[in-house]
């Protein structure tokens, strides 16, 4: 029994299909992979997490700046409610980001974050955050998303980080696929209109 050889056209189609599948898989895994990569390597000024605020509050203050951006083609608007705040080191801070969906369809998004300078990332501790959790905004919906945090007092003992006068916390929202239940409701509503 002799196997058939693939023609040039079939090889091209197979190669193209392989590339599409590869890039589709990479796009699907980008946000979880970025989260893992940042935690392992410290890239992006990885933060710590805690269940509660610090027991120690120093008399020294630090400025926290808030930044927001969107992936290209993400149709939302997204911004920090307050651009900067000054808090005592160890004090619990609360900041809000505002997201708005100006379109006529539900849109899902997931945010990744970064902290600068990198040397301060290990001391910026988040208690509660919307990052890496899918957010679904309905048409015309606006939401406020809180971030609760503190700067670990140990920052003053770090050779590099102790001279930090400000920390910038930035978020970027990426459009993600709608969850199945939201997509099903959308399809059902579309079917009801006809």
């Amino acid at each position: 029994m002799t196997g058939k050889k693939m023609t040039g056209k079939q090889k091209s189609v197979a190669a193209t299909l392989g590339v599409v599948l590869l890039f589709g898989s990479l796009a699907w895994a980008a946000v979880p992979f970025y989260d893992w990569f940042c935690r392992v390597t410290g890239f992006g000024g990885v933060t710590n997490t805690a269940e509660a605020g610090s027991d120690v509050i120093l008399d020294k203050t630090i400025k926290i700046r808030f930044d927001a951006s969107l992936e290209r083609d993400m149709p939302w608007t997204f911004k920090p409610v307050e651009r900067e705040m000054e808090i005592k080191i160890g004090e619990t801070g609360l900041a809000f980001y505002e997201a708005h969906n100006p379109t006529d369809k539900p849109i899902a998004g997931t945010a990744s974050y970064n902290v600068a300078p990198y040397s301060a990332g290990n001391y910026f501790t988040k208690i509660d955050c919307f990052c890496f959790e899918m957010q679904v905004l309905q048409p015309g919906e606006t939401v406020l998303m809180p971030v609760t945090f503190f700067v670990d007092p140990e920052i003053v003992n770090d050779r590099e980080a102790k001279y930090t006068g400000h920390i910038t916390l930035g978020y970027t929202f990426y459009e993600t696929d709608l969850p199945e239940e939201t997509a099903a409701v959308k399809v059902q509503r579309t079917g009801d209109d006809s």
Side-chain angles (χ1 to χ4, degrees), residues 7-94:
T7 66
K9 188 174 184 178
Q10 289 172 326
K11 286 180 184 177
S12 294
V13 169
T16 302
L17 203 63
V19 168
V20 168
L21 288 173
L22 172 68
F23 281 104
S25 299
L26 290 173
W28 176 80
V31 171
F33 179 74
Y34 179 76
D35 179 39
W36 170 82
F37 176 76
C38 289
R39 292 179 195 279
V40 171
T41 65
F43 178 79
V46 171
T47 65
N48 285 317
T49 57
E51 297 293 319
S54 173
D55 294 335
V56 176
I57 298 176
L58 305 180
D59 203 25
K60 183 177 179 183
T61 62
I62 192 164
K63 289 182 181 177
I64 310 296
R65 295 180 184 152
F66 303 98
D67 189 28
S69 62
L70 296 166
E71 173 191 41
R72 184 187 304 174
D73 298 330
M74 174 58 152
W76 289 1
T77 59
F78 177 57
K79 64 183 180 181
V81 172
E82 190 175 353
R83 290 261 176 224
E84 184 176 278
M85 71 172 57
E86 188 169 349
I87 62 170
K88 290 183 177 180
I89 294 176
E91 178 183 15
T92 299
L94 175 63

Side-chain angles (χ1 to χ4, degrees), residues 3 14 77 98 142:
T77 59
E98 180 183 284
T142 300

Side-chain angles (χ1 to χ4, degrees), residues 44-175:
V46 171
T47 65
N48 285 317
T49 57
E51 297 293 319
S54 173
D55 294 335
V56 176
I57 298 176
L58 305 180
D59 203 25
K60 183 177 179 183
T61 62
I62 192 164
K63 289 182 181 177
I64 310 296
R65 295 180 184 152
F66 303 98
D67 189 28
S69 62
L70 296 166
E71 173 191 41
R72 184 187 304 174
D73 298 330
M74 174 58 152
W76 289 1
T77 59
F78 177 57
K79 64 183 180 181
V81 172
E82 190 175 353
R83 290 261 176 224
E84 184 176 278
M85 71 172 57
E86 188 169 349
I87 62 170
K88 290 183 177 180
I89 294 176
E91 178 183 15
T92 299
L94 175 63
F96 289 91
Y97 280 79
E98 180 183 284
H100 173 69
N101 177 3
T103 72
D104 61 354
K105 62 182 181 181
I107 301 212
T110 305
S112 63
Y113 67 88
N114 62 41
V115 176
Y118 296 145
S119 60
N122 284 330
Y123 301 101
F124 190 90
T125 305
K126 292 189 281 185
I127 299 168
D128 188 29
C129 174
F130 57 87
C131 53
F132 297 113
E133 293 180 10
M134 182 186 296
Q135 309 291 326
V136 178
L137 270 61
Q138 298 302 318
E141 183 178 12
T142 300
V143 295
L144 290 178
M145 296 174 284
V147 179
T148 310
F149 62 92
F150 65 91
V151 177
D152 190 324
E154 285 299 311
I155 195 170
V156 299
N157 298 322
D158 185 288
R159 207 169 32 180
E160 289 180 42
K162 69 181 177 182
Y163 299 110
T164 303
H166 72 274
I167 296 173
T168 301
L169 175 64
Y171 289 96
T172 301
F173 254 105
Y174 301 86
E175 186 171 356

